[in-house]
Amino acid sequence: MADLKTSVQFIHGIGPQRAKALEKLGIATLGDLISWFPRRYEDRTQIVPIAQLDPDTPACVAAMIAAPPTLSHIRKGMDLVKVRAVDDTGMLEVTFFNQTWLKNQLHEGETYLFYGRAEGNLLRRRMTSPVVEPIGRREFTGRIVPIYPLTAGVSQLILSRSIRQGLDACTGILPDALPDEVRQAHHLCRINYAYENIHFPEHEEALALARRRLAFEELFFFTIGLQRLRRRREVVHVAPFSPVDMDAFYQALPFSLTGAQRRCVDEALSDMVSGVPMNRLCQGDVGSGKTMVAAACAYFCVKNGRQAALMAPTEILARQHYAGLAPLLEPLGIRCGLLTGSTPAREKRATAAALASGEIDFIIGTHALITGDLGYANLGLVITDEQHRFGVAQRAALAAKGSHPHTLVMSATPIPRTLALILYGDLDVSIIDELPPGRQPVATYAVPGSYHPRVYAFIRKLVDQGRQAYVVCPMVDEGEDGGSDERKAVTEYARHLQTEIFPDLRVAFVHGKMKPREKDAVMAAFAARETDILVSTTVIEVGVDVPNAAVMVVENAERFGLSQLHQLRGRVGRGKHQSYCILISDNRNEETRQRLRVMTKTTDGFRIAEEDLRLRGPGDFFGQRQHGLPGLRVADIGCDTALLQEAQAAARDLLERDPELTTCPATAQRVAELFAQNADTLN
Ligand code: ADP
Ligand code: MG
């Protein structure tokens, strides 16, 4: 008897040739085959009378063939089969290209179902190469039809027939890894029903039931795996840090920390004295002051005689952190260092030596901090800033530079709680939910391109008052040579502003293709108020801090995700001045307008993140991660929030009753498989 590990070539009706085709999709076993889920579905259940065919909507027609099909040879490689089909309401001319066999398969006087897009007018309706089958077969017409992801050489027909054979071969042997009491408690259908109907749904409701069941189990197994990982982590023991008098640090600050900042620091410090490695996410909206939380933790770590590292995603940001923190911490006896990709080789060697010998206490840098041969004397704390920009693998690579160092992850993208649970399920979370005093919300407007003169006049007014402006220039489409296009867009737009709009003001520009030193020079000049207007791409998106900047103008705002716009907006409103964000877009798409409207209505990063997740799905949050989420093929964490919560509750419940999963070995095995395959994704 077959099982899920059986090679597809041994399945009745598939054989070696199809197996070879399926292999191209990575389908080797019966289990792979039935888990190749449709990408989408086409509802071909409604039969439309010929007279009511709407030219824009593909539809099913049931029609009788009125005359024998004709075959004509147009030219080499081009044969046409034509038939006329009729129903009670009208006549349809159907043409097939290069499907000569249909001449003998379509019979005069018999009724077929045709599925396709109709053309022509009321008097003369035509369909070209529709799907056709005898009425009653219901394989590709008259039902909800699965549409599978394909690759060259494998057609929908092959795939859908193979899956049909696969499901038939599974009768009675599908193991159900979901404990039956969980299944019943959450009103989920049985596994056989789920697989049958995710592929070949009887009707909409059956599809919804199947989807719900499969999405639930994915989220359920995923959550169990995460919770067990988390438990495993807690058994690592490290020498606890000792309490440190933090007064000197607090007194050195130019301001007192907000209550929320203090709470985050306290939470992190108590992690570090616990004897278990800290694994904490510090989430705070842009401008909430995460840097000082990081600084406090680094201070605490160094005063415990250990090294701390802070990794930022960009050169600009790393340098800015260094420029801000070194003058604060050096007088307190903390030797700081900076290491980035553009640090000259000689300096790099010196810094590496100082790190290895322990002469540097606190190193700030970019990915350069995780290069292979870089060694640390006694790394005790690893901080990653703007975590969503780093893959989990990078975070792990930095942690591997020490022996179970404490880790603090800082994220400025307020991640909806549900998503955070999945993304950072193995982390404790601190939230900075308070902005430093005196901040006014950034007034935000969405305007069409015709407002340019007014926008420019407004920039001029603010600059006259002593403020500075950011302008994010129009985006270019990623061409073959995306880099030079980006460069060109920025430089030309800056030149336009300088020569035609603001000849008397100081306009500078920065883009991703500039050398780090050039970038830094431009940023430093802007921070020192030597320039008034900074034109840029999204390189300024992350973390850059110039409190005197009071207006952010974003061209082609429709091209950005909400979270990205929120990050951009976060570059202003960081000082005591009323600040503005102007989103320019000529896009009339209703959804786009709705997104931009969200920006004008709220400055609450969490709300914006929820909206973004709802409108765009989780892709945005995973942006630069190398890996997707393991095993989530049916579940959509953008939409299945309620289901996720249900599955999480069920998982917690089960683990409380049976932490070792002894009562449900099938569940244990499934979770183990899932996490064995993805060990590098979730460490
Ligand atoms: P984030 O990284 O969370 O976006 P930053 O750490 O860059 O925010 O802080 C934003 C700005 O607020 C900086 O100019 C910083 O000096 C200032 N700041 C931070 N904490 C406070 C505070 N408690 N009171 C006043 N200003 C603060
Ligand atoms: Mg920051």
Side-chain angles (χ1 to χ4, degrees), residues 290-291 321 385-386 543:
K290 291 181 292 295
T291 315
H321 280 327
D385 194 13
E386 313 293 346

Side-chain angles (χ1 to χ4, degrees), residues 242-370:
S242 310
V244 165
D245 182 0
M246 297 290 289
D247 280 354
F249 173 78
Y250 288 132
Q251 274 159 23
L253 294 183
F255 40 69
S256 44
L257 293 189
T258 63
Q261 282 170 311
R262 273 305 274 269
R263 202 182 54 240
C264 288
V265 172
D266 290 345
E267 284 168 356
L269 300 197
S270 58
D271 285 350
M272 288 189 276
V273 299
S274 73
V276 169
M278 167 164 76
N279 219 8
R280 182 168 290 279
L281 170 69
C282 170
Q283 260 204 65
D285 213 340
V286 282
S288 61
K290 291 181 292 295
T291 315
M292 283 309 154
V293 173
C297 292
Y299 179 84
F300 184 77
C301 170
V302 172
K303 290 298 169 191
N304 265 278
R306 305 285 297 273
Q307 290 171 306
L310 168 59
M311 180 161 72
T314 64
E315 185 99 20
I316 289 183
L317 203 51
R319 287 173 181 272
Q320 185 181 291
H321 280 327
Y322 180 77
L325 295 180
L328 174 74
L329 295 172
E330 293 269 3
L332 301 173
I334 293 176
R335 295 161 298 179
C336 299
L338 174 69
L339 188 65
T340 70
S342 71
T343 307
R346 198 137 59 89
E347 220 175 300
K348 240 182 219 167
R349 274 195 302 277
T351 305
L355 262 182
S357 67
E359 284 158 63
I360 290 181
D361 301 310
F362 183 26
I363 183 80
I364 297 171
T366 55
H367 294 85
L369 296 184
I370 54 176

Side-chain angles (χ1 to χ4, degrees), residues 479-542:
E480 295 243 309
D481 186 12
S484 72
D485 281 345
E486 174 199 316
R487 178 163 43 215
K488 205 166 132 212
V490 174
T491 50
E492 282 185 359
Y493 193 61
R495 187 179 323 125
H496 166 70
L497 291 184
Q498 178 73 83
T499 56
E500 282 154 55
I501 316 285
F502 303 116
D504 51 328
L505 302 183
R506 299 162 301 178
V507 178
F509 63 85
V510 61
H511 57 70
K513 300 291 157 188
M514 280 162 78
K515 292 214 184 72
R517 290 208 173 280
E518 296 171 341
K519 266 194 263 185
D520 290 339
V522 174
M523 290 309 301
F526 189 65
R529 296 205 201 182
E530 286 159 19
T531 47
D532 303 305
I533 298 169
L534 182 62
V535 180
S536 84
T537 55
T538 52
V539 290
I540 47 141
E541 179 193 332
V542 171

